[in-house]
Amino acid sequence: MITHLKKTDPNVYNFIKGEEKRQKNGMELIASENYVSPSVLEALGTVFTNKYSEGYPGKRYYGGQEFTDKLESLAIERAKKLFRSDHANVQPLSGAPANVAVYFAWLNPGDTVLGMDLTHGGHLTHGSPVTYMAKLYNFVRYKMKDVETGEIDYDELRRVAKKEKPKIILAGFSAYPREYDYAKMKAIADEVGAVAMADMAHIAGLIAAGLLKNPFDYGFHIITTTTHKTLRGPRGALILSKGTVGNPLKQVEKTIENLPTLIDRSVFPGFQGGPHMNTIAAITVALGEAAKPAFKTYAKQILKNAKAMAEELMDLGCKLVTNGTDNHLMVMDCVTSFGSNGKEIEVALDKAGITASKSTIPDDPLPPYSPSGLRLGTPAMTTRGMKEKQMKQIARWIVEISQNRNDEKKINKIKKDVQDLCLKYPVPGIK
Ligand code: DSN
C-alpha cells in the first residue's frame, strides 16, 4: 500500500495510480510482460535498495553484508536448483547486460558469434548492427529453413559454423514461436569448438515448469534469462552456467570448465558495479514461487491459452508466422492478414485497451519501426486467470479491430467490452 507518496510527491503518486488503472482496465498481450505477485512487489520495495554489495557472498568490498549475503546465496541456490545448473550469477541488471557480460567473459574483440537472424525472431543483443556489441564482435546468422513450420535450417547453421568458426553459438529469440533442436545445435558447437549458449529470456518460466526443453539437458554451457517475462519476477536477469565454480576475486584460465568463474568476474568487477539487492530479493521470491506446483499449472495454462488464441486467429483467416505456436507467443503477419502493418494494428488495438507489440516477420521487407508483424503473448492474461474461452474472445476482438481500424465508434464499443472483461480478472497486487 502506498501511504506516503500521496502527500510527499503527488505527481509521482498520480502517475502510479494512473498506471495501476491502465493495467487494471487493459488487456496485456505483450509477450514479454507479466504481472508479479504481491510478495514479489513487496520484496522489491524494501530497504535492500539502500545497500551497496559489490562482490559476491562472503567476498564483498563493503561491510554490513549479513543479510545480503544470506539473500544472494538463497537466490543462487534456488536458481541452480530450478534450472539444473552448476552456477548462477543473479546480479545482471537486466537481459542486455547479462548477454554482454557473457560476451565479455568469453570473447576477444573481433571474435564471431552465430545467432538467430533478427527478422526470424532473434534479439537486439544477439548482434543487431545498431548495438555497440556489433562493433566489437562479428555476428553471423542462421535462419528458419521453412517459415511455414518454423524448422531451423540446421544444415546451413552447420555450414556457416564450419566456415566462420564462431566462439559462441547462440540459441534464443524474442519472437520465435517454436522449439529448438538443442541436441543438434550442441553437436555443431562441439564440432567447431564453440560455447553453446541459450538466451531463454522469453521461455524461462516454461522451462522452469518442465514444459519446454532445458538446454542444459542437451549439454549447453550457458543460459541467460531475464527474470520478468514468463518467470514472473521483477526486472532483472540470471546467468546460469555449467562448470567449476571458483573464487570470483581470482583470475582463472579461459577454459569452458572455468565459465562460472569467468562469468562472475565479467559481471563484477568487469562490467557492473553494485548489484541491486532489492531486485535480488524480489528475484529470490519469484524463484521460490516458480518452484511450486501452482506455477506449473499456471505455465501449462499459458501454453493452452496461446494455442487457443492462435487457432482462433487462424480460423478467422489471419496468417501467423510458422502457422501457430508451441510456446507463449505468436507473430501475426498484418500485411497478409489485413493489408496493414504491425505499427498500424498496434495503434488501433491500443485505442481499445489491448496492448501488443509490433514485430518483424522473417525477411521482413518493411523497417523495424513499422514492420509487417504484430507479436502477441498469453503470460500476463493467464496470470489474471483467463482461460481458452477468453483467449478466443480476445482473438475475435483483435480481428474486428484490425478490420475496422479506422472506425472509431466500433473501436470504442470494443474498448468497453475489453474493460468489462478485464475488470472480472484482477491484477495481482492492485485493488
Ligand atoms: N524487450 C524484450 C521483448 O519484448 O522481447 C526483449 O528484450
Side-chain angles (χ1 to χ4, degrees):
M1 232 220 323
I2 302 171
T3 49
H4 292 83
L5 266 179
K6 193 174 183 174
K7 273 194 202 126
T8 60
D9 198 330
N11 282 331
V12 174
Y13 176 82
N14 287 329
F15 298 150
I16 294 170
K17 286 288 145 190
E19 178 62 13
E20 279 183 357
K21 194 167 163 203
R22 188 193 71 80
Q23 292 193 11
K24 228 164 75 170
N25 293 351
M27 183 81 70
E28 187 51 73
L29 300 181
I30 292 179
S32 50
E33 293 191 13
N34 213 329
Y35 306 103
V36 297
S37 72
S39 304
V40 168
L41 216 47
E42 272 178 17
L44 197 57
T46 57
V47 291
F48 273 122
T49 198
N50 298 336
K51 190 74 198 102
Y52 255 125
S53 306
E54 271 110 324
Y56 291 98
K59 297 180 179 63
R60 307 277 191 189
Y61 288 83
Y62 290 78
Q65 307 291 348
E66 186 183 350
F67 296 103
T68 48
D69 274 5
K70 284 184 181 138
L71 175 69
E72 189 170 344
S73 301
L74 183 59
I76 291 167
E77 281 318 304
R78 285 184 180 176
K80 279 164 54 178
K81 193 160 173 219
L82 199 57
F83 295 106
R84 299 190 285 286
S85 67
D86 292 337
H87 183 53
N89 187 305
V90 301
Q91 296 191 6
L93 302 179
S94 206
N99 286 343
V100 171
V102 171
Y103 301 155
F104 284 168
W106 189 243
L107 303 175
N108 292 316
D111 279 350
T112 297
V113 178
L114 175 54
M116 170 83 105
D117 183 274
L118 301 180
T119 68
H120 283 235
H123 185 250
L124 209 65
T125 57
H126 304 169
S128 158
V130 301
T131 62
Y132 285 113
M133 290 308 106
K135 293 184 178 55
L136 258 185
Y137 308 120
N138 174 39
F139 287 89
V140 290
R141 305 276 160 222
Y142 60 86
K143 291 183 175 188
M144 289 180 236
K145 175 154 88 186
D146 181 355
V147 294
E148 297 301 320
T149 63
E151 192 199 342
I152 284 168
D153 194 342
Y154 293 101
D155 294 335
E156 177 65 5
L157 197 159
R158 182 163 177 268
R159 193 192 64 73
V160 176
K162 287 183 86 163
K163 178 167 171 267
E164 302 280 351
K165 304 263 177 301
K167 290 275 167 56
I168 293 177
I169 293 185
L170 178 49
F173 55 83
S174 59
Y176 176 64
R178 301 294 179 182
E179 267 268 58
Y180 270 91
D181 188 334
Y182 295 113
K184 267 192 190 157
M185 286 191 84
K186 175 62 166 50
I188 298 168
D190 286 347
E191 213 179 319
V192 300
V195 158
M197 168 180 173
D199 175 347
M200 62 172 189
H202 264 263
I203 52 172
L206 303 170
I207 293 174
L211 303 177
L212 294 187
K213 293 182 216 158
N214 182 336
F216 282 142
D217 294 342
Y218 301 86
F220 269 56
H221 306 104
I222 302 173
I223 294 178
T224 57
T225 180
T226 48
T227 43
H228 47 271
K229 298 185 174 91
T230 46
L231 196 54
R232 213 162 59 177
R235 309 195 82 79
L238 309 171
I239 305 174
L240 308 158
S241 52
K242 290 278 188 183
T244 305
V245 183
N247 181 347
L249 305 189
K250 291 214 172 112
Q251 297 266 21
V252 287
E253 210 192 327
K254 219 181 208 185
T255 63
I256 287 189
E257 187 55 36
N258 281 337
L259 275 171
T261 319
L262 294 167
I263 287 166
D264 275 350
R265 291 183 58 77
S266 176
V267 172
F268 177 85
F271 182 41
Q272 293 188 174
H276 295 180
M277 294 311 299
N278 59 320
T279 301
I280 291 176
I283 288 174
T284 313
V285 174
L287 291 169
E289 290 176 356
K292 295 202 171 122
F295 191 85
K296 189 165 185 164
T297 309
Y298 160 64
K300 273 188 187 157
Q301 192 63 45
I302 295 179
L303 295 182
K304 284 191 213 161
N305 282 355
K307 281 231 170 343
M309 183 182 283
E311 270 158 25
E312 187 73 5
L313 285 170
M314 290 189 294
D315 283 351
L316 294 169
C318 295
K319 172 70 184 164
L320 298 187
V321 172
T322 81
N323 297 308
T325 179
D326 292 328
N327 57 28
H328 63 297
L329 70 82
M330 64 212 77
V331 179
M332 185 164 70
D333 176 344
C334 301
V335 177
T336 309
S337 306
F338 307 114
S340 179
N341 62 59
K343 187 177 175 200
E344 194 182 28
I345 300 300
E346 180 193 292
V347 170
L349 292 176
D350 233 341
K351 285 187 190 149
I354 298 178
T355 315
S357 53
K358 53 187 162 289
S359 169
T360 52
I361 61 168
D363 304 312
D364 203 332
L366 297 181
Y369 189 67
S370 183
S372 301
L374 184 85
R375 190 185 64 174
L376 300 161
T378 54
M381 297 322 285
T382 308
T383 292
R384 286 172 79 163
M386 290 193 187
K387 298 230 162 87
E388 290 94 320
K389 183 169 171 239
Q390 289 76 39
M391 295 301 123
K392 286 178 188 281
Q393 175 59 66
I394 296 167
R396 291 195 287 276
W397 281 329
I398 289 171
V399 172
E400 210 180 335
I401 294 164
S402 302
Q403 286 170 342
N404 298 281
R405 54 194 176 275
N406 297 317
D407 184 341
E408 235 168 81
K409 222 167 129 195
K410 200 161 225 160
I411 291 181
N412 277 336
K413 186 187 165 298
I414 297 174
K415 182 178 183 174
K416 171 85 181 46
D417 294 340
V418 166
Q419 188 171 322
D420 287 348
L421 180 69
C422 285
L423 289 174
K424 287 189 196 140
Y425 295 87
V427 175
I430 303 180
K431 287 240 158 54

